Amino acid sequence: MSDVLYLAWRYLVFHRWKTLLLIASITLIAYLPVGLNVLVGRSAEELTARAATTPLLVGSRGSPLELVLNSLYFDAEVPAPTSLAEVERISATGLATPIPLHVRFRSRSAPIVGTSLEYFDFRALSIADGRPMAVLGECVLGSEAARDLGVAVGDAVISSPESVFDLAGVYPLRMRVVGVLERSFTPDDGAIFVDVKTAWVIEGLGHGHQDLASPDAAAGVLSRDGNRVTANASVAQYNEITAENIDSFHFHGDPATYPLTAILIDPADDKSAVLLAGRYASPDASQQIVRPRVVVEELLGTVFTVREYVVGAILLVAAATVAMAALVFLLSLRLRRGEILTLHRIGGSRGRVAAMVVSEILLVIAASATLAAGLTWATGRFGGEAVRALLLS
């Protein structure tokens, strides 16, 4: 039997381009339906797992999907802002613990998530190196964010401007890294966490500047009227919060109106969750409350529907490809009539010649199956993150 396999192998090697074309065609046809199912299944698991651990989200009325994707994965359009007053309103009910979220800015590719220390407890995130943020201007990085940005505890990261021309005069903020999180295999790994007040400083709602009462700031004083000092445009605003200037940082306006992108709700129990949801049931309410798992399942329902159509189309193409492969083999046999006749004349039986042809086919199928299995494994290993990024882009 080894001689039959050897002859089959040598034939395939000699006609390498035809062999490679057949292997590629059969590999794709075998891989695409299976790979697509694995891909969608893996992405569904990742999306659902994150949503299942988030009971409720509150935000301004608008697209629930946009609210969920921005709040859970930090990688979607910024929803219409809610306010700190909503956090105080929820906290006053005693039904749940509200956790503020401000997800608007980035440092290069990493999202900057303004929140509170309760977020780390809620997500069961632990510090691998350093400590949690404690004062204005400090940040804690996810493991992937620290690796991608090339920083560690003691270094600094700088927020990226939202546009090249910042007419509002909001400067990028340099933030000191005080901690790096243990890897959690969630979107938290790629984020930069700051206190929500630091996020407001980045937005320009809070700032620090020179002490106008000091002699060094005399050039920046436009006028003095008792304790009231009017500064001119030459007064420098700080874009880094340090121990020396932190006392100069302050906020203007009513803090209750300061913006948040969402509020993550940790209800005391299921009954509290239902009671809290009832407070947002009015269609005229300016705020909405959503269950992330329900929103993600609706999204996946659309994905699954599209998948069925795609798989159906792939199966039709597969049938056509199999027919073409069979035609190639049959035409090849007609072209090899002289070769087969020679094999018979030198003593090759019909059974041995048939075995050689069948071996060629099996070798092509075996190579295709091996490649398809390898691609399917790679899809299961790395495809979930790719689909999640595609869905959120």
Side-chain angles (χ1 to χ4, degrees):
M1 191 65 181
S2 60
D3 57 335
V4 171
L5 290 175
Y6 177 77
L7 288 173
W9 167 252
R10 292 309 304 169
Y11 176 83
L12 294 175
V13 171
F14 184 78
H15 298 278
R16 59 179 62 88
W17 294 115
K18 183 188 78 171
T19 302
L20 290 175
L21 185 60
L22 284 171
I23 290 174
S25 300
I26 296 174
T27 297
L28 287 176
I29 290 305
Y31 161 71
L32 286 176
V34 178
L36 182 61
N37 279 306
V38 171
L39 196 61
V40 173
R42 286 284 297 157
S43 60
E45 288 176 7
E46 290 192 13
L47 290 169
T48 305
R50 181 77 166 174
T53 58
T54 308
L56 298 169
L57 282 174
V58 169
S60 287
R61 189 165 293 278
S63 168
L65 180 60
E66 192 175 85
L67 177 66
V68 169
L69 296 182
N70 178 266
S71 303
L72 269 62
Y73 307 102
F74 317 136
D75 199 9
E77 291 296 323
V78 179
T82 182
S83 66
L84 186 62
E86 201 63 30
V87 174
E88 297 169 352
R89 174 190 169 192
I90 296 169
S91 182
T93 66
L95 298 173
T97 301
I99 303 173
L101 290 174
H102 187 290
V103 188
R104 173 179 169 182
F105 301 102
R106 308 182 81 83
S107 176
R108 287 194 275 177
S109 61
I112 298 174
V113 180
T115 187
S116 62
L117 294 178
E118 286 80 7
Y119 183 87
F120 298 100
D121 294 331
F122 179 80
R123 294 293 188 199
L125 302 175
S126 56
I127 301 290
D129 186 24
R131 59 172 176 80
M133 64 265 192
V135 298
L136 208 63
E138 293 182 341
C139 64
V140 172
L141 271 63
S143 58
E144 291 181 8
R147 181 199 64 202
D148 294 342
L149 297 175
V151 297
V153 173
D155 296 331
V157 296
I158 302 175
S159 63
S160 302
E162 290 187 292
S163 62
V164 177
F165 303 103
D166 192 348
L167 300 179
V170 179
Y171 302 103
L173 181 66
R174 189 173 189 268
M175 300 167 287
R176 188 162 65 90
V177 179
V178 297
V180 176
L181 296 172
E182 292 276 5
R183 191 173 184 187
S184 62
F185 301 96
T186 68
D188 297 321
D189 291 337
I192 298 171
F193 294 94
V194 300
D195 183 77
V196 70
K197 291 184 178 179
T198 301
W200 289 334
V201 171
I202 298 174
E203 191 165 350
L205 298 175
H207 63 269
H209 48 65
Q210 292 172 284
D211 182 3
L212 298 179
S214 67
D216 295 338
V221 176
L222 189 64
S223 65
R224 294 181 185 271
D225 182 10
N227 294 327
R228 182 178 180 180
V229 180
T230 304
N232 60 35
S234 67
V235 175
Q237 290 192 16
Y238 294 114
N239 63 347
E240 180 178 7
I241 303 172
T242 65
E244 290 73 26
N245 66 30
I246 190 171
D247 291 336
S248 73
F249 275 80
H250 56 280
F251 296 86
H252 296 281
D254 182 6
T257 64
Y258 286 179
L260 299 170
T261 55
I263 304 167
L264 194 157
I265 306 299
D266 185 15
D269 48 43
D270 292 340
K271 180 181 178 181
S272 298
V274 173
L275 291 174
L276 191 61
R279 294 172 181 259
Y280 294 87
S282 172
D284 299 325
S286 62
Q287 306 294 311
Q288 64 177 332
I289 190 166
V290 300
R291 295 183 180 274
R293 182 165 190 167
V294 173
V295 174
V296 170
E297 286 175 349
E298 290 176 355
L299 170 64
L300 292 175
T302 303
V303 173
F304 289 146
T305 301
V306 173
R307 181 195 62 179
E308 298 302 324
Y309 287 109
V310 173
V311 170
I314 290 173
L315 291 177
L316 290 176
V317 175
T321 303
V322 170
M324 288 297 296
L327 180 61
V328 168
F329 280 115
L330 291 174
L331 291 175
S332 176
L333 287 176
R334 291 179 65 87
L335 293 173
R336 297 170 65 187
R337 204 180 285 176
E339 174 191 339
I340 294 173
L341 181 59
T342 301
L343 289 174
H344 287 319
R345 287 175 176 174
I346 63 176
S349 65
R350 289 182 177 275
R352 304 288 281 183
V353 173
M356 183 188 71
V357 174
V358 171
S359 297
E360 293 170 8
I361 299 173
L362 293 178
L363 285 173
V364 170
I365 293 175
S368 300
T370 302
L371 288 175
L375 288 172
T376 302
W377 175 86
T379 300
R381 177 68 178 81
F382 305 106
E385 294 180 4
V387 169
R388 187 184 67 201
L390 181 62
L391 288 173
L392 303 181
S393 62

